[in-house]
Amino acid sequence: MHLLPRGASAAALSFRFHLGGYAIACSAMVDSLRQFMVWKMSPEKVRAFPIDRQLFLVREVAAKLDNLHGETAVSFWKAKAAELLDLVVGSGRDRVAAGDEVRRFFLAVQRELSAGLATEPAPVLSA
């Protein structure tokens, strides 16, 4: 007596059982990975990337400050510093640590401004 469906071979049936088992194993692995990521990404474990290391932001603020002068530059910087302080405090840092981070950002902007001035070609003076 033949127990396999018509046209099915033992190898094909075996493959279906393996494929089903593989799908179950993959599903279990995905569930485990999801649980691990939820645990790993819990708020007490997440740390924001320091703003003084965000090169695009540092360069953007430096470029803006490079084109501003006097009271306009001071007003822009004060507004940007207040905005960044709120951003860092909102990410979970206390105000003292956030203030230190904003000061490091300001130093990074100043370094960027200095580096930009150093790379500009100096005018050639002729006698």
Side-chain angles (χ1 to χ4, degrees):
M1 179 167 181
H2 202 271
L3 298 175
L4 293 175
R6 189 175 279 202
S9 69
L13 188 59
S14 174
F15 178 74
R16 285 187 200 142
F17 285 122
H18 287 303
L19 189 58
Y22 179 73
I24 291 169
C26 286
S27 177
M29 187 172 66
V30 167
D31 286 342
S32 294
L33 183 60
R34 182 185 52 77
Q35 290 171 357
F36 175 73
M37 291 306 292
V38 166
W39 173 78
K40 223 27 187 165
M41 299 295 286
S42 60
E44 65 274 1
K45 295 185 181 301
V46 174
R47 298 287 179 251
F49 195 70
I51 57 173
D52 63 306
R53 303 247 180 115
Q54 295 179 22
L55 194 54
F56 179 80
L57 182 60
V58 168
R59 287 181 176 167
E60 179 183 44
V61 171
K64 181 78 171 177
L65 279 173
D66 198 32
N67 292 321
L68 299 175
H69 304 286
E71 189 55 40
T72 309
V74 172
S75 295
F76 170 76
W77 173 248
K78 285 181 179 181
K80 183 54 82 173
E83 175 189 330
L84 292 172
L85 184 66
D86 289 343
L87 179 77
V88 175
V89 168
S91 73
R93 306 285 301 266
D94 62 78
R95 284 194 85 70
V96 173
D100 291 342
E101 192 166 334
V102 171
R103 278 188 281 288
R104 285 192 308 272
F105 178 81
F106 181 65
L107 291 172
V109 168
Q110 286 188 327
R111 280 192 302 272
E112 185 66 29
L113 285 168
S114 295
L117 293 174
T119 58
E120 288 182 9
V124 177
L125 303 174
S126 59

